[in-house]
Amino acid sequence: MQTTDEVNIRAVNQDDVERVSMLEQASFNDPYPSYFLSELARDNPETFLVLTLNNEIVGYGVVDHWEDHDHLISIAVRPDSRRKGLGEALLVELEKRLSKERPLRLEVRQNNSAAIQLYLKRGFTKIGLVEGYYGDVENAIIMEKRLVKETLVES
């Protein structure tokens, strides 16, 4: 990134859903349909984030709140903006917005080594495998991170 690039992470709004959907299509072989992304945006106003670079959406991430855990549904960065720390910045911001009492889980394609490395770097551990999880029958690795409360240490 050039030093003049302006990166911003903000909550999604319904006007963003079409651009998020195009990003989803460009990023995944089995993309979520736009109506599902729209529902996620409506249901998760605090944990559906977009990342803009010079006011253009180049990434997004969404965490949904399930009964016993928070679930990273999807995170994506436009192919021409990858490997610049933007996905990690999104993940860090999402984690800040979550309850520290609940684990954060996700599924990731077994062959997506870049994503797996990012999740390991951010403190996720592999807790399972689902065979044939994806539409093309690729396996999914289930990963989890226990978020911890940040406590102030008095000296």
Side-chain angles (χ1 to χ4, degrees), residues 67-120:
E67 189 173 327
D68 63 341
H69 68 280
D70 290 321
H71 203 93
L72 181 65
I73 300 293
S74 189
I75 190 166
V77 173
R78 201 170 67 192
D80 65 350
S81 296
R82 291 181 185 156
R83 305 234 177 254
K84 298 176 182 176
L86 301 177
E88 185 171 6
L90 264 171
L91 189 56
V92 167
E93 186 60 32
L94 281 166
E95 288 177 12
K96 287 179 187 174
R97 294 170 180 243
L98 297 174
S99 165
K100 303 302 184 219
E101 281 78 46
R102 295 161 52 89
L104 176 59
R105 289 191 194 137
L106 60 89
E107 293 86 22
V108 60
R109 283 181 176 272
Q110 194 170 18
N111 73 357
N112 190 344
S113 57
I116 293 167
Q117 290 308 309
L118 169 62
Y119 298 136
L120 290 171

Side-chain angles (χ1 to χ4, degrees), residues 6 70 92 133 143:
E6 186 181 330
D70 290 321
V92 167
Y133 179 83
M143 300 184 81

